[in-house]
C-alpha cells in the first residue's frame, strides 16, 4: 500500500522566500554600501556607469559613453535606457544608481528562477532546490559577469548580463505556460513575449544566445496542448529580432557582423579568459593543444560538474527533461568547436553549459523526492536535504569569508568609497565634462565614468573605426623614447586636453614633456594631471 507523505506547500514557499531574502539582503548591502566591484580600476562597472552618465545627459542623442567620437555603443540597451531616464529624472549619481540596478537585476533572477522552476519541474520544492544549486554548487567560482554563482552575483549583479539572465528564466517560464495552454496564443500574449525577447536580444546578446538555445530546446521537447502556439511563439520571436535590428541607439547588425579585426581578435584571444581558455601555444611537436585547463575547471566549477555525469541518465529515464540535455550538448559542442575554430567569446559558453549541468542536478533532486513509496521518498528527501545543506552552507560560508577579507582586510577601505572612486573624484576636480583625456587604458577606463571623455577605452571599441590606430598611438604617446614633436602631433590629432601620467607610466622624458607643453601640472596623489597647452 502506498501512502502519500507530503510537506505542505506553504513550507516550500516559506523556505524559498527566506533564502531569497537572505541572499537579496547581501546584494542590497553590497550594492548600497559596500560596492566591492568598484575596487577594481579595470572592472566593467566603469563602462556601465559611463553609459548612465552619458545617456542621462542626452536621452535622445547620447554621445559615446567613453570616447570623444560620434558613435553609438551596444551598452545603450533597453534595460539601461530605463535606468538612464531615472537618473535624468531624479538626479541620482550614476554610481549610486548602479547599486540599485544590482538589486533590481537580482530580484529579476529570483523571480525568473522561481517562475521557471515551478513550471518546468512541477514541484513546489523545485524553486528552493534550483536556487541553492545554481548559487552554491560551485568551486571557488569566477568573478565574471556570466558566472552566476553567489560570489559573482554579489559583485556583478548590476551588469546587463545578470539582468538578461533573470529575464531569460522569466521568458522560459512564460514560454512553458504558453505552450501548455489549450487556447490559442492571443495577440496580447504574443506581443508581451515579443517585447521580452526584444529586450533580451538588445540588452546583452551573448546571454541572449543562451536564452535562444534553451528556449528552442524547450520548444522542441515540450508537449503542446495547442500545436499552433509553438509556431506563433517562433513567429513572435522572429518579429522581436527584426525589430531589434531597428534599435536607434546602436546597430545590432554592426555588432554581429563587425569588420573590426582588432575587436574580433579581442573577442577570440586566449588571454581574454586566462583562467580557463584553450591553450593555443605550439608544443614541441609543432601541433596546437586544444584542451582546457582541467585543474582550473575542477577547482572553479566544483561539484556542479557532477551534473554532466547525469545527462545520459536524464535522457534515458527522465525524458521530460531532455531539453536540458539538448542545451548541454549544444554548448559543449560549441566549446569543442571553439578549441579548433575560434568563436567570438566562445569560452563563455562554458558558463551556459554549467547552467545545463546545474539544471540536470535539480531534475535528479526533484525526482528523488518525488518517489511514491514511503521508504524511497524518505531516503530521497533525506539525501537531497543533506546534499543541499552541506554544499549550500559550505559555499555561503566560503563566499562570506572571501567577501569580509576583501572588504575589511585587503583594501583598508574608507567607510563609504573605494580607493578607485576616491582617486578618480580627486582627479575629476581638476577636469571638466569637455576634457578629453589620455592616460593608460585602465586609468582612463575608470576615469571616464566620472568626468569627460577619453582617447580610447580599455574594452572593445565598437563602431570606432580608428580604434586600433588610437591604441597604437596611445602606446607611442606614453613611450618615454617617443620624440616630443611626434607625441604632440598625436595628442593634437585626437584633441587631447589633459594628459594624466600615472606612477606606472612616469618617466623623466614624459615629465619634461608635460612641463614644457602644459599650462599647469597638478599633482594628485601619485598622478600628474597635465593640462596641455592648446595648439
Amino acid at each position: 500500500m502506498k501512502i502519500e507523505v507530503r510537506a505542505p506547500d506553504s513550507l516550500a514557499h516559506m523556505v524559498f522566500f527566506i533564502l531569497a531574502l537572505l541572499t537579496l539582503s547581501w546584494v542590497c548591502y553590497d550594492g548600497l554600501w559596500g560596492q566591492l566591484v568598484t575596487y577594481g580600476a579595470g572592472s566593467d562597472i566603469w563602462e556601465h556607469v559611463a553609459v548612465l552618465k552619458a545617456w542621462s545627459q542626452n536621452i535622445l542623442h547620447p554621445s559615446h559613453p567613453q570616447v570623444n567620437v560620434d558613435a553609438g555603443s551596444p551598452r545603450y540597451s533597453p534595460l539601461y535606457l530605463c535606468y538612464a531616464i531615472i537618473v535624468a529624472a531624479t538626479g541620482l549619481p550614476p554610481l549610486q544608481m548602479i547599486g540599485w540596478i544590482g538589486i533590481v537585476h537580482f530580484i529579476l533572477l529570483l523571480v525568473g528562477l522561481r517562475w521557471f522552476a515551478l513550471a518546468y519541474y512541477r514541484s513546489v520544492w523545485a524553486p528552493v532546490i534550483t536556487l541553492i544549486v545554481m548559487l552554491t554548487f560551485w568551486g571557488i567560482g569566477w568573478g565574471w559577469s556570466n558566472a552566476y554563482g553567489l560570489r559573482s552575483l554579489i559583485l556583478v549583479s548590476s551588469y546587463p548580463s545578470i539582468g538578461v539572465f533573470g529575464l531569460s528564466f522569466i521568458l522560459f517560464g512564460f514560454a512553458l505556460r504558453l505552450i501548455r495552454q489549450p487556447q490559442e496564443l492571443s495577440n496580447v500574449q504574443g506581443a508581451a513575449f515579443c517585447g521580452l525577447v526584444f529586450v533580451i536580444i538588445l540588452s546583452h546578446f551573448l546571454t541572449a544566445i543562451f536564452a535562444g538555445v534553451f528556449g528552442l530546446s524547450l520548444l522542441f521537447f515540450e508537449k503542446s496542448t495547442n500545436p499552433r502556439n509553438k509556431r506563433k511563439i517562433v513567429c513572435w520571436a522572429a518579429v522581436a529580432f527584426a525589430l531589434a535590428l531597428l534599435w536607434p541607439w546602436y546597430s545590432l547588425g554592426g555588432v554581429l557582423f563587425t569588420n573590426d579585426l582588432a575587436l574580433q581578435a579581442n573577442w577570440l584571444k586566449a588571454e581574454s579568459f586566462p583562467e580557463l581558455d584553450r591553450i593555443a601555444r605550439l608544443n614541441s611537436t609543432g601541433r596546437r593543444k586544444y584542451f582546457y585547463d582541467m585543474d582550473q575547471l575542477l577547482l572553479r566549477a566544483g561539484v556542479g560538474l557532477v551534473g554532466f555525469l547525469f545527462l545520459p541518465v536524464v535522457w534515458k529515464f527522465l525524458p521530460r527533461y531532455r531539453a536540458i540535455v539538448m542545451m548541454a550538448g549544444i554548448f559543449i559542442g560549441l566549446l569543442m568547436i571553439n578549441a579548433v575554430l575560434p568563436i567570438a567569446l566562445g569560452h563563455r559558453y562554458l558558463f551556459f553549459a554549467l547552467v545545463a549541468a546545474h539544471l540536470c542536478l535539480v531534475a535528479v533532486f526533484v525526482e528523488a523526492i518525488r518517489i511514491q513509496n514511503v521508504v524511497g521518498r524518505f531516503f530521497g528527501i533525506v539525501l537531497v536535504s543533506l546534499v543541499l545543506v552541506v554544499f549550500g552552507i559550505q559555499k555561503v560560508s566560503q563566499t562570506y569569508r572571501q567577501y569580509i577579507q576583501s572588504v575589511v582586510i585587503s583594501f583598508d577601505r574608507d567607510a563609504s568609497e573605494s580607493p578607485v572612486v576616491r582617486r578618480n573624484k580627486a582627479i575629476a576636480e581638476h577636469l571638466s565634462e569637455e576634457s578629453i583625456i589620455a592616460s593608460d587604458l585602465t586609468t582612463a577606463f575608470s576615469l571616464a565614468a566620472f568626468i569627460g571623455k577619453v582617447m580610447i577605452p580599455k574594452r572593445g571599441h565598437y563602431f570606432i573605426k580608428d580604434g586600433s590606430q588610437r591604441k597604437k598611438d596611445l602606446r607611442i604617446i606614453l613611450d618615454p623614447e617617443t620624440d616630443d614633436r611626434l607625441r604632440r602631433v598625436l595628442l593634437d590629432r585626437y584633441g587631447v586636453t589633459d594628459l594624466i601620467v600615472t606612477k606606472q607610466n612616469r618617466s623623466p622624458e614624459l615629465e619634461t614633456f608635460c612641463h614644457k607643453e602644459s599650462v599647469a601640472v597638478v599633482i594628485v596623489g601619485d598622478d600628474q594631471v597635465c593640462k596641455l597647452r592648446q595648439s
Side-chain angles (χ1 to χ4, degrees), residues 275-277 279 291-301 305:
E275 295 171 326
L276 186 70
D277 212 346
I279 301 171
F291 300 99
Y292 288 92
D293 185 339
M294 295 307 296
D295 290 341
Q296 285 289 338
L297 180 59
L298 292 171
L299 179 67
R300 294 185 176 277
L305 290 171

Side-chain angles (χ1 to χ4, degrees), residues 7 20 89 116 157 162 173 251 256 270-271 277 288 350 378 411 446 490 498 501 511 531:
F116 163 75
S157 59
I162 304 302
S251 168
L256 298 179
E271 289 81 358
D277 212 346
R288 293 165 68 91
L350 169 69
F378 173 77
F411 295 114
S446 61
L490 294 178
D498 297 87
V501 182
E511 289 185 350
K531 306 193 74 62

